[in-house]
Amino acid sequence: MDDKLKKSANTSAEQIIEWGEAHSIETCFERAEKLKPCPIGESGACCRVCHMGPCRLIGKNAEEEARGVCGATLATVVSRNFLRMIAAGTAAHSDHARDMAMTLLSVAEGEAKDFKITDVKKLYKVADILGIEFEGRPVNDVAKDVALKFLEDFGRQKGELNYVKRAPKKTQERWKKYGITPRGIDREVVEAMHRTSIGVDHEPDHLLTHGLRTALADGWGGSMVSSDITDILFGTPKPVKAEASFGIFKEDEVNLVVHGHEPTLAEIIVDVVSDPAIIEYAKSRGANGINLGGMCCTANEILMRHGIPTAGGFTNQELGIMTGLIDAITVDVQCIMPAIAELSKKFHTKVITTSKKAKIPGALHVEYDEHYARKTAEKIVRMAIDNFPNRKTQGSHITDKFPVIAGFSQEYIEYMQGGRWRASFRPLNDAIISGRIRGVVGLAGCDNPRVPSTGLHRYLATELIKNDVLIVSTGCGSAACGTAGYLTPENALENAGPGLREVCEAIGIPPILHVGACVDNSRILTIVTAMAAEGGLSDEIGGMPAVGIAPEWMSEKAIAIGAYFAASGVPCIFGGESPVGASKEVTKLLTETWVERFMGSFHFEPDPEKILALAFDYIDKAREKLKLRKYEPGKFGAERVLMDMAARREIEKAGVPHAGVGGINESES
Ligand code: BF8
């Protein structure tokens, strides 16, 4: 990795940070420098579950000797802490999902009149999976049944989540064998909190096993439910072109940013900003128009569906305000730094909280309610417009931006590999079998001011594609790649290994597929499930040449995601110091016992080069076990001149069909 990297690997971000330092404006980067992590808490050795403590289990022989006042061992404390992280992450994704289900119900009952069912085909697909009759029935009746069926998943006490049956049979059998099939979402989270309270569950393996059950309630519950309902309401993503980085803000237009995670209000705002009357109003206040942009995962939601530009991920939120160009920023839930409210006072930016669940001291509050969504959206857009004349000249104005192609849902990935009638995962599986593609990595999770922010994502993305690994990215992993200019098909031509490049070129895709927000990690589960069903690789999720990596994670949500991937059979490697590092016993459970039981694992590794080596090792060993051809760098695509993207577009413009994946000469393999 480039050790010249400073606080951020993003040059524009770095410029803004420097501008801030010169103007005595503090950001998370300075705070991270000043506030070093507590090494005891960081490694999971601090117990705060009762008021006899906090007990800090440290010392040379802490593993064997240290005990809390109640007698809890280090392994108990570490696993309790880890389970609580999983529970919190699961709660966040799932409470978001609950709101999506409530919105779907309100739409179906005609109470949320500003929304409609946009993707009826997806509604029918979901109804079919849920065993709900849909043919010949009014769309809203089907939608109501789907919403109610999903809502059952939250309060169910017995049985299993609706979507457990979407997993490959063998994966389901492993879950049953080890008792981690999730029952109800709320039940698993509540039980996790109960078990980790003072004096209940003390056996590390037992605690962590429930951690996996709780995490599965996120991956195959909350997150998957949320992605599917969002598709039903607002459309299943397909590739769109957009832009990323701070240069998306316009000097002469009202800049409104939507930040957080929930897509509903943002969807209505997308609509409102193109209303001619509102644009006229903006003009009456001296602006040339209204420019909508996004931040974090709300950005990903509207980027995937409407091509709305993104200013980037988590660590860009303060920096965006420091451009001095944002007239208003709405924030809903999750990953919002409270610091932005105070920071905004140094500029003219209005910070507007919109969720019933989340307020920030110093911010304005305009509460969103799905029953009068448009009215709220109009109010917010007008607030941004009214604030435009207050824009001051100060700010670190930045103009760089990069093209981005996003919108790769499972449905579209299937479609792009065979068209409407032959949609399948065959070409991808074949490319993996032949060794053109070495394996698949899910590059996900946050960006983090404790490392050169976005730098680990960039390093790994570059190295992985150079080594013929296809990447599916989500959340701030996608934002990191987008703001580096990596989310374009041209990136395949310039930086991908020859085998991966050949496949990307034939299909016309980037080597990094932006599959959505953090809740859309569930799309990766269904993609790998479809690959298993297609045949030729593993017949369960475990055993695939696939790895999950979150090199800069910081949120409890990331831990829940890593745990549901591990339970589903995917080895996961997270960056940074290990939150279970204080206990060898717990580390062994996550990295060895889980592999034996579920074929997935959970590693923490701060060194990005070691993350890469471990990912290759998992992929190559999986290939070997599946008896696939040994991956040979440079074997494919090097011996002939490939058509570049420009030539390809010329041909497309002229209406001449180009080779699809089927056009790859299979005799090479
Ligand atoms: O949910 S990747 S910083 S924004 S937690 Fe948050 Fe992490 Fe970003 Fe989206 Ni996910």
Side-chain angles (χ1 to χ4, degrees):
M1 251 195 80
D2 183 357
D3 53 11
K4 286 194 291 297
L5 291 174
K6 297 181 191 164
K7 288 177 176 150
S8 172
N10 179 336
T11 322
S12 307
E14 189 65 27
Q15 280 173 31
I16 302 175
I17 295 165
E18 281 168 15
W19 180 91
E21 282 167 357
H23 291 78
S24 307
I25 295 174
E26 193 184 66
T27 62
C28 62
F29 296 93
E30 285 78 53
R31 292 192 294 274
E33 257 180 7
K34 279 189 212 158
L35 198 68
K36 295 291 172 217
C38 159
I40 303 162
E42 185 183 39
S43 62
C46 176
C47 183
R48 294 187 54 248
V49 303
C50 83
H51 208 52
M52 292 189 291
C55 294
R56 305 179 310 157
L57 275 53
I58 48 172
K60 214 159 138 227
N61 298 317
E63 186 90 60
E64 293 80 34
E65 293 165 5
R67 298 283 182 274
V69 175
C70 70
T73 64
L74 183 60
T76 299
V77 168
V78 169
S79 24
R80 270 200 306 225
N81 287 337
F82 199 64
L83 173 50
R84 283 203 165 194
M85 290 175 95
I86 294 174
T90 300
H93 287 143
S94 303
D95 207 34
H96 167 170
R98 186 197 323 273
D99 285 347
M100 294 309 299
M102 296 302 282
T103 300
L104 182 64
L105 184 61
S106 298
V107 173
E109 289 178 334
E111 285 174 10
K113 296 198 189 314
D114 298 326
F115 299 104
K116 63 178 193 323
I117 309 296
T118 301
D119 193 340
V120 175
K121 201 169 152 203
K122 179 86 184 220
L123 173 71
Y124 290 169
K125 177 182 167 179
V126 169
D128 197 31
I129 298 168
L130 295 174
I132 292 167
E133 189 57 56
F134 56 92
E135 271 176 64
R137 297 181 65 205
V139 168
N140 278 352
D141 289 1
V142 180
K144 183 174 174 176
D145 287 354
V146 165
L148 291 172
K149 192 88 180 161
F150 277 146
L151 285 168
E152 283 173 8
D153 273 345
F154 292 88
R156 183 180 298 101
Q157 304 304 321
K158 286 181 177 175
E160 59 188 46
L161 294 187
N162 283 307
Y163 271 171
V164 163
K165 60 171 171 272
R166 283 182 90 168
K169 275 257 141 8
K170 272 191 160 178
T171 307
Q172 290 182 50
E173 281 162 14
R174 284 182 192 274
W175 295 344
K176 281 213 173 71
K177 183 171 172 194
Y178 292 104
I180 61 166
T181 308
R183 297 155 297 188
I185 297 167
D186 293 355
R187 166 153 199 191
E188 306 310 355
V189 174
V190 169
E191 190 173 315
M193 295 310 287
H194 177 199
R195 284 199 195 198
T196 54
S197 64
I198 168 76
V200 185
D201 196 1
H202 299 108
E203 210 275 308
D205 188 17
H206 197 236
L207 281 157
L208 291 167
T209 300
H210 184 66
L212 293 179
R213 176 155 53 180
T214 308
L216 287 175
D218 179 351
W220 298 85
S223 287
M224 202 173 279
V225 167
S226 181
S227 293
D228 278 351
I229 295 179
T230 308
D231 286 354
I232 289 168
L233 286 172
F234 307 125
T236 302
K238 45 185 182 295
V240 284
K241 197 168 176 194
E243 289 174 326
S245 199
F246 301 103
I248 65 160
F249 300 133
K250 298 188 177 161
E251 304 261 356
D252 61 342
E253 294 191 13
V254 174
N255 291 308
L256 170 60
V257 173
V258 285
H259 169 28
H261 284 77
E262 293 182 340
T264 32
L265 174 61
E267 277 283 333
I268 296 284
I269 291 179
V270 170
D271 203 34
V272 167
V273 294
S274 58
D275 179 339
I278 294 281
I279 294 172
E280 253 337 288
Y281 182 63
K283 288 186 175 161
S284 77
R285 308 290 285 166
N288 279 342
I290 309 165
N291 177 42
L292 182 64
M295 195 80 83
C296 286
C297 283
T298 304
N300 285 324
E301 298 281 5
I302 53 175
L303 169 70
M304 295 278 285
R305 296 189 176 81
H306 304 284
I308 300 296
T310 175
F314 180 67
T315 57
N316 278 13
Q317 54 191 294
E318 289 171 297
L319 308 183
I321 290 175
M322 286 160 65
T323 63
L325 293 172
I326 300 179
D327 300 300
I329 178 168
T330 66
V331 299
D332 46 59
V333 289
Q334 303 169 20
C335 304
I336 293 140
M337 292 189 194
I340 61 172
E342 202 48 42
L343 174 69
S344 69
K345 292 186 185 136
K346 296 196 162 65
F347 300 86
H348 77 301
T349 308
K350 283 192 191 312
V351 175
I352 307 166
T353 52
T354 59
S355 169
K356 288 186 174 88
K357 298 171 193 164
K359 288 189 175 185
I360 305 177
L364 299 166
H365 187 71
V366 178
E367 201 154 287
Y368 164 75
D369 186 306
E370 68 212 14
H371 297 98
Y372 40 87
R374 194 173 176 95
K375 225 170 119 194
T376 315
E378 282 182 2
K379 183 172 178 184
I380 287 167
V381 176
R382 282 177 189 274
M383 284 167 77
I385 294 171
D386 288 338
N387 201 27
F388 176 77
N390 300 329
R391 204 184 280 176
K392 298 167 192 157
T393 45
Q394 95 256 29
S396 174
H397 294 204
I398 291 284
T399 53
D400 82 318
K401 55 184 174 183
F402 297 93
V404 161
I405 306 289
F408 292 93
S409 54
Q410 185 219 317
E411 288 82 350
Y412 190 83
I413 294 174
E414 221 159 29
Y415 165 79
M416 79 192 184
Q417 295 183 83
R420 196 159 163 205
W421 308 112
R422 291 184 297 124
S424 80
F425 272 84
R426 194 69 260 152
L428 176 61
N429 281 18
D430 285 346
I432 294 172
I433 291 166
S434 70
R436 279 190 179 83
I437 293 180
R438 185 175 185 174
V440 180
V441 158
L443 188 60
C446 328
D447 52 328
N448 193 323
R450 292 223 178 266
V451 292
S453 174
T454 72
L456 271 56
H457 284 286
R458 290 176 184 212
Y459 165 75
L460 290 164
T462 310
E463 292 301 319
L464 289 166
I465 65 166
K466 198 200 289 173
N467 286 280
D468 296 300
V469 173
L470 178 72
I471 296 177
V472 283
S473 73
T474 59
C476 293
S478 290
C481 292
T483 52
Y486 294 174
L487 297 181
T488 62
E490 285 76 6
N491 186 26
L493 289 175
E494 287 157 20
N495 301 312
L500 173 63
R501 175 176 152 170
E502 193 176 66
V503 175
C504 290
E505 191 197 28
I507 314 178
I509 53 164
I512 304 171
L513 302 178
H514 184 341
V515 303
C518 256
V519 285
D520 293 324
N521 279 303
S522 61
R523 294 191 201 274
I524 301 178
L525 293 176
T526 58
I527 287 168
V528 193
T529 299
M531 287 166 67
E534 190 65 55
L537 297 171
S538 177
D539 55 358
E540 59 182 312
I541 295 177
M544 288 283 183
V547 172
I549 305 181
E552 299 185 29
W553 76 281
M554 61 85 205
S555 165
E556 292 159 319
K557 289 184 289 171
I559 293 294
I561 293 166
Y564 73 63
F565 271 105
S568 301
V570 180
C572 290
I573 313 164
F574 277 36
E577 296 303 329
S578 170
V580 298
S583 167
K584 286 194 191 78
E585 183 185 341
V586 175
T587 303
K588 190 166 173 231
L589 282 166
L590 267 60
T591 53
E592 294 177 29
T593 312
W594 286 3
V595 177
E596 283 156 26
R597 292 175 187 166
F598 310 107
M599 301 177 90
S601 58
F602 208 150
H603 297 261
F604 292 91
E605 172 53 64
D607 180 343
E609 279 159 25
K610 288 188 184 155
I611 293 178
L612 188 68
L614 188 55
F616 287 148
D617 190 52
Y618 266 120
I619 287 172
D620 292 342
K621 285 207 175 113
R623 293 189 67 88
E624 203 182 312
K625 247 189 159 171
L626 291 169
K627 299 197 172 36
L628 304 182
R629 182 193 294 272
K630 192 168 186 297
Y631 166 73
E632 292 172 58
K635 177 176 163 53
F636 294 100
E639 63 279 0
R640 64 192 176 92
V641 179
L642 296 167
M643 193 191 306
D644 70 15
M645 289 308 297
R648 199 168 161 277
R649 287 200 187 104
E650 282 308 309
I651 289 177
E652 275 175 352
K653 234 193 273 165
V656 182
H658 58 79
V661 154
I664 292 174
N665 182 358
E666 284 307 324
S667 63
E668 280 178 13
S669 57

PDB file of all heavy atoms in Angstrom, residues 93 260-261 296-297 300 313-314 334-335 444-447 474-477 517-519 554-555 557-558 561, ligand 1:
ATOM      1  N   HIS A  93     -30.457  -2.732  10.830  1.00  0.00           N
ATOM      2  CA  HIS A  93     -30.964  -3.108   9.499  1.00  0.00           C
ATOM      3  C   HIS A  93     -32.437  -3.498   9.562  1.00  0.00           C
ATOM      4  O   HIS A  93     -33.228  -3.190   8.673  1.00  0.00           O
ATOM      5  CB  HIS A  93     -30.175  -4.305   8.956  1.00  0.00           C
ATOM      6  CG  HIS A  93     -28.786  -3.958   8.515  1.00  0.00           C
ATOM      7  ND1 HIS A  93     -27.722  -4.790   8.689  1.00  0.00           N
ATOM      8  CD2 HIS A  93     -28.293  -2.858   7.887  1.00  0.00           C
ATOM      9  CE1 HIS A  93     -26.622  -4.231   8.194  1.00  0.00           C
ATOM     10  NE2 HIS A  93     -26.942  -3.050   7.711  1.00  0.00           N
ATOM     11  N   GLY A 260     -27.942   9.281   5.015  1.00  0.00           N
ATOM     12  CA  GLY A 260     -28.473   8.311   5.961  1.00  0.00           C
ATOM     13  C   GLY A 260     -28.701   6.984   5.268  1.00  0.00           C
ATOM     14  O   GLY A 260     -27.843   6.536   4.491  1.00  0.00           O
ATOM     15  N   HIS A 261     -29.855   6.379   5.517  1.00  0.00           N
ATOM     16  CA  HIS A 261     -30.092   5.034   4.976  1.00  0.00           C
ATOM     17  C   HIS A 261     -31.460   4.777   4.378  1.00  0.00           C
ATOM     18  O   HIS A 261     -31.623   3.845   3.611  1.00  0.00           O
ATOM     19  CB  HIS A 261     -29.783   3.992   6.054  1.00  0.00           C
ATOM     20  CG  HIS A 261     -28.311   3.834   6.221  1.00  0.00           C
ATOM     21  ND1 HIS A 261     -27.561   4.752   6.917  1.00  0.00           N
ATOM     22  CD2 HIS A 261     -27.438   2.925   5.728  1.00  0.00           C
ATOM     23  CE1 HIS A 261     -26.285   4.409   6.855  1.00  0.00           C
ATOM     24  NE2 HIS A 261     -26.189   3.309   6.142  1.00  0.00           N
ATOM     25  N   CYS A 296     -23.583   8.548   1.827  1.00  0.00           N
ATOM     26  CA  CYS A 296     -23.725   7.239   2.466  1.00  0.00           C
ATOM     27  C   CYS A 296     -24.762   6.367   1.758  1.00  0.00           C
ATOM     28  O   CYS A 296     -24.850   6.372   0.542  1.00  0.00           O
ATOM     29  CB  CYS A 296     -24.013   7.393   3.952  1.00  0.00           C
ATOM     30  SG  CYS A 296     -22.538   7.916   4.869  1.00  0.00           S
ATOM     31  N   CYS A 297     -25.579   5.655   2.511  1.00  0.00           N
ATOM     32  CA  CYS A 297     -26.417   4.644   1.861  1.00  0.00           C
ATOM     33  C   CYS A 297     -27.735   5.178   1.305  1.00  0.00           C
ATOM     34  O   CYS A 297     -28.294   4.600   0.375  1.00  0.00           O
ATOM     35  CB  CYS A 297     -26.651   3.471   2.802  1.00  0.00           C
ATOM     36  SG  CYS A 297     -25.194   2.414   2.859  1.00  0.00           S
ATOM     37  N   ASN A 300     -26.692   5.654  -2.005  1.00  0.00           N
ATOM     38  CA  ASN A 300     -26.649   4.424  -2.812  1.00  0.00           C
ATOM     39  C   ASN A 300     -28.030   4.031  -3.324  1.00  0.00           C
ATOM     40  O   ASN A 300     -28.177   3.556  -4.441  1.00  0.00           O
ATOM     41  CB  ASN A 300     -26.050   3.280  -1.978  1.00  0.00           C
ATOM     42  CG  ASN A 300     -24.544   3.421  -1.823  1.00  0.00           C
ATOM     43  OD1 ASN A 300     -23.862   3.859  -2.756  1.00  0.00           O
ATOM     44  ND2 ASN A 300     -24.017   3.085  -0.671  1.00  0.00           N
ATOM     45  N   GLY A 313     -18.961   8.434   0.897  1.00  0.00           N
ATOM     46  CA  GLY A 313     -19.368   7.661   2.062  1.00  0.00           C
ATOM     47  C   GLY A 313     -19.189   8.391   3.379  1.00  0.00           C
ATOM     48  O   GLY A 313     -19.078   9.625   3.431  1.00  0.00           O
ATOM     49  N   PHE A 314     -19.104   7.583   4.418  1.00  0.00           N
ATOM     50  CA  PHE A 314     -19.160   8.037   5.804  1.00  0.00           C
ATOM     51  C   PHE A 314     -18.227   9.214   6.122  1.00  0.00           C
ATOM     52  O   PHE A 314     -18.643  10.218   6.682  1.00  0.00           O
ATOM     53  CB  PHE A 314     -18.831   6.823   6.688  1.00  0.00           C
ATOM     54  CG  PHE A 314     -18.829   7.083   8.147  1.00  0.00           C
ATOM     55  CD1 PHE A 314     -20.002   7.407   8.808  1.00  0.00           C
ATOM     56  CD2 PHE A 314     -17.661   6.976   8.888  1.00  0.00           C
ATOM     57  CE1 PHE A 314     -20.008   7.629  10.177  1.00  0.00           C
ATOM     58  CE2 PHE A 314     -17.657   7.189  10.249  1.00  0.00           C
ATOM     59  CZ  PHE A 314     -18.832   7.523  10.891  1.00  0.00           C
ATOM     60  N   GLN A 334     -28.788   6.194  11.042  1.00  0.00           N
ATOM     61  CA  GLN A 334     -27.555   5.410  10.905  1.00  0.00           C
ATOM     62  C   GLN A 334     -26.418   6.141  10.196  1.00  0.00           C
ATOM     63  O   GLN A 334     -26.599   6.702   9.125  1.00  0.00           O
ATOM     64  CB  GLN A 334     -27.830   4.083  10.163  1.00  0.00           C
ATOM     65  CG  GLN A 334     -28.879   3.219  10.831  1.00  0.00           C
ATOM     66  CD  GLN A 334     -29.328   2.054   9.982  1.00  0.00           C
ATOM     67  OE1 GLN A 334     -28.653   1.634   9.061  1.00  0.00           O
ATOM     68  NE2 GLN A 334     -30.479   1.511  10.308  1.00  0.00           N
ATOM     69  N   CYS A 335     -25.256   6.070  10.841  1.00  0.00           N
ATOM     70  CA  CYS A 335     -23.985   6.571  10.284  1.00  0.00           C
ATOM     71  C   CYS A 335     -23.963   8.078  10.080  1.00  0.00           C
ATOM     72  O   CYS A 335     -23.227   8.586   9.221  1.00  0.00           O
ATOM     73  CB  CYS A 335     -23.635   5.850   8.982  1.00  0.00           C
ATOM     74  SG  CYS A 335     -23.575   4.074   9.203  1.00  0.00           S
ATOM     75  N   ALA A 444     -17.036  -4.579   1.022  1.00  0.00           N
ATOM     76  CA  ALA A 444     -18.147  -3.870   1.647  1.00  0.00           C
ATOM     77  C   ALA A 444     -17.672  -3.082   2.864  1.00  0.00           C
ATOM     78  O   ALA A 444     -16.492  -3.008   3.158  1.00  0.00           O
ATOM     79  CB  ALA A 444     -19.199  -4.891   2.073  1.00  0.00           C
ATOM     80  N   GLY A 445     -18.636  -2.530   3.531  1.00  0.00           N
ATOM     81  CA  GLY A 445     -18.371  -1.877   4.811  1.00  0.00           C
ATOM     82  C   GLY A 445     -17.951  -0.426   4.660  1.00  0.00           C
ATOM     83  O   GLY A 445     -17.853   0.128   3.571  1.00  0.00           O
ATOM     84  N   CYS A 446     -17.634   0.126   5.809  1.00  0.00           N
ATOM     85  CA  CYS A 446     -17.462   1.570   5.971  1.00  0.00           C
ATOM     86  C   CYS A 446     -16.133   2.068   5.438  1.00  0.00           C
ATOM     87  O   CYS A 446     -15.257   1.285   5.088  1.00  0.00           O
ATOM     88  CB  CYS A 446     -17.529   1.846   7.468  1.00  0.00           C
ATOM     89  SG  CYS A 446     -18.623   0.688   8.349  1.00  0.00           S
ATOM     90  N   ASP A 447     -15.977   3.392   5.421  1.00  0.00           N
ATOM     91  CA  ASP A 447     -14.654   3.989   5.313  1.00  0.00           C
ATOM     92  C   ASP A 447     -14.362   4.616   6.682  1.00  0.00           C
ATOM     93  O   ASP A 447     -15.277   4.928   7.438  1.00  0.00           O
ATOM     94  CB  ASP A 447     -14.554   4.998   4.162  1.00  0.00           C
ATOM     95  CG  ASP A 447     -15.633   6.046   4.181  1.00  0.00           C
ATOM     96  OD1 ASP A 447     -16.756   5.742   4.621  1.00  0.00           O
ATOM     97  OD2 ASP A 447     -15.372   7.187   3.760  1.00  0.00           O
ATOM     98  N   THR A 474     -20.709  -2.859  -1.979  1.00  0.00           N
ATOM     99  CA  THR A 474     -21.891  -2.226  -1.389  1.00  0.00           C
ATOM    100  C   THR A 474     -21.456  -1.082  -0.474  1.00  0.00           C
ATOM    101  O   THR A 474     -20.274  -0.924  -0.183  1.00  0.00           O
ATOM    102  CB  THR A 474     -22.670  -3.219  -0.492  1.00  0.00           C
ATOM    103  OG1 THR A 474     -21.790  -3.669   0.528  1.00  0.00           O
ATOM    104  CG2 THR A 474     -23.237  -4.382  -1.270  1.00  0.00           C
ATOM    105  N   GLY A 475     -22.445  -0.339  -0.017  1.00  0.00           N
ATOM    106  CA  GLY A 475     -22.253   0.658   1.032  1.00  0.00           C
ATOM    107  C   GLY A 475     -21.120   1.619   0.722  1.00  0.00           C
ATOM    108  O   GLY A 475     -20.926   2.079  -0.401  1.00  0.00           O
ATOM    109  N   CYS A 476     -20.324   1.911   1.755  1.00  0.00           N
ATOM    110  CA  CYS A 476     -19.216   2.851   1.566  1.00  0.00           C
ATOM    111  C   CYS A 476     -18.061   2.216   0.813  1.00  0.00           C
ATOM    112  O   CYS A 476     -17.170   2.939   0.341  1.00  0.00           O
ATOM    113  CB  CYS A 476     -18.776   3.402   2.912  1.00  0.00           C
ATOM    114  SG  CYS A 476     -20.062   4.442   3.636  1.00  0.00           S
ATOM    115  N   GLY A 477     -18.052   0.899   0.682  1.00  0.00           N
ATOM    116  CA  GLY A 477     -17.082   0.250  -0.199  1.00  0.00           C
ATOM    117  C   GLY A 477     -17.327   0.717  -1.622  1.00  0.00           C
ATOM    118  O   GLY A 477     -16.394   1.041  -2.369  1.00  0.00           O
ATOM    119  N   ALA A 517     -26.760  -0.482  -1.339  1.00  0.00           N
ATOM    120  CA  ALA A 517     -26.515   0.021   0.013  1.00  0.00           C
ATOM    121  C   ALA A 517     -26.088  -1.140   0.909  1.00  0.00           C
ATOM    122  O   ALA A 517     -25.979  -2.280   0.460  1.00  0.00           O
ATOM    123  CB  ALA A 517     -27.801   0.653   0.541  1.00  0.00           C
ATOM    124  N   CYS A 518     -25.877  -0.841   2.188  1.00  0.00           N
ATOM    125  CA  CYS A 518     -25.459  -1.897   3.107  1.00  0.00           C
ATOM    126  C   CYS A 518     -26.512  -2.989   3.264  1.00  0.00           C
ATOM    127  O   CYS A 518     -26.172  -4.164   3.372  1.00  0.00           O
ATOM    128  CB  CYS A 518     -25.130  -1.303   4.467  1.00  0.00           C
ATOM    129  SG  CYS A 518     -23.371  -1.191   4.744  1.00  0.00           S
ATOM    130  N   VAL A 519     -27.794  -2.603   3.295  1.00  0.00           N
ATOM    131  CA  VAL A 519     -28.817  -3.654   3.399  1.00  0.00           C
ATOM    132  C   VAL A 519     -28.782  -4.556   2.167  1.00  0.00           C
ATOM    133  O   VAL A 519     -29.224  -5.704   2.208  1.00  0.00           O
ATOM    134  CB  VAL A 519     -30.260  -3.095   3.570  1.00  0.00           C
ATOM    135  CG1 VAL A 519     -30.495  -2.583   4.961  1.00  0.00           C
ATOM    136  CG2 VAL A 519     -30.606  -2.069   2.527  1.00  0.00           C
ATOM    137  N   MET A 554     -16.368   0.076  10.696  1.00  0.00           N
ATOM    138  CA  MET A 554     -16.407   0.719  12.015  1.00  0.00           C
ATOM    139  C   MET A 554     -17.751   0.493  12.694  1.00  0.00           C
ATOM    140  O   MET A 554     -17.873   0.619  13.890  1.00  0.00           O
ATOM    141  CB  MET A 554     -16.097   2.230  11.905  1.00  0.00           C
ATOM    142  CG  MET A 554     -17.034   3.057  11.059  1.00  0.00           C
ATOM    143  SD  MET A 554     -18.498   3.612  11.965  1.00  0.00           S
ATOM    144  CE  MET A 554     -19.690   3.839  10.649  1.00  0.00           C
ATOM    145  N   SER A 555     -18.787   0.151  11.917  1.00  0.00           N
ATOM    146  CA  SER A 555     -20.144   0.079  12.471  1.00  0.00           C
ATOM    147  C   SER A 555     -20.487  -1.329  12.969  1.00  0.00           C
ATOM    148  O   SER A 555     -19.998  -2.326  12.433  1.00  0.00           O
ATOM    149  CB  SER A 555     -21.136   0.484  11.372  1.00  0.00           C
ATOM    150  OG  SER A 555     -22.441   0.110  11.716  1.00  0.00           O
ATOM    151  N   LYS A 557     -23.190  -2.602  12.412  1.00  0.00           N
ATOM    152  CA  LYS A 557     -23.898  -3.224  11.283  1.00  0.00           C
ATOM    153  C   LYS A 557     -22.948  -4.083  10.463  1.00  0.00           C
ATOM    154  O   LYS A 557     -23.323  -5.137   9.957  1.00  0.00           O
ATOM    155  CB  LYS A 557     -24.510  -2.141  10.380  1.00  0.00           C
ATOM    156  CG  LYS A 557     -25.687  -1.414  10.999  1.00  0.00           C
ATOM    157  CD  LYS A 557     -26.291  -0.427  10.016  1.00  0.00           C
ATOM    158  CE  LYS A 557     -25.378   0.756   9.788  1.00  0.00           C
ATOM    159  NZ  LYS A 557     -25.832   1.621   8.685  1.00  0.00           N
ATOM    160  N   ALA A 558     -21.714  -3.615  10.313  1.00  0.00           N
ATOM    161  CA  ALA A 558     -20.732  -4.387   9.541  1.00  0.00           C
ATOM    162  C   ALA A 558     -20.460  -5.726  10.221  1.00  0.00           C
ATOM    163  O   ALA A 558     -20.312  -6.757   9.558  1.00  0.00           O
ATOM    164  CB  ALA A 558     -19.444  -3.582   9.390  1.00  0.00           C
ATOM    165  N   ILE A 561     -23.202  -8.056   9.475  1.00  0.00           N
ATOM    166  CA  ILE A 561     -23.082  -8.539   8.084  1.00  0.00           C
ATOM    167  C   ILE A 561     -22.009  -9.630   7.981  1.00  0.00           C
ATOM    168  O   ILE A 561     -22.225 -10.691   7.397  1.00  0.00           O
ATOM    169  CB  ILE A 561     -22.746  -7.361   7.138  1.00  0.00           C
ATOM    170  CG1 ILE A 561     -23.924  -6.384   7.049  1.00  0.00           C
ATOM    171  CG2 ILE A 561     -22.391  -7.873   5.734  1.00  0.00           C
ATOM    172  CD1 ILE A 561     -23.588  -5.035   6.416  1.00  0.00           C
TER     173      ILE A 561
HETATM  174  O1  BF8 B   1     -24.669   1.165   6.100  1.00  0.00           O
HETATM  175  S1  BF8 B   1     -20.874   1.109   4.997  1.00  0.00           S
HETATM  176  S2  BF8 B   1     -20.397   3.716   7.241  1.00  0.00           S
HETATM  177  S3  BF8 B   1     -23.122   4.265   5.510  1.00  0.00           S
HETATM  178  S4  BF8 B   1     -22.396   1.066   8.155  1.00  0.00           S
HETATM  179 FE1  BF8 B   1     -22.465   3.314   7.498  1.00  0.00          FE
HETATM  180 FE2  BF8 B   1     -20.567   1.579   7.148  1.00  0.00          FE
HETATM  181 FE3  BF8 B   1     -21.132   3.342   5.318  1.00  0.00          FE
HETATM  182 FE4  BF8 B   1     -24.325   2.561   5.048  1.00  0.00          FE
HETATM  183 NI1  BF8 B   1     -22.916   0.438   6.062  1.00  0.00          NI
END
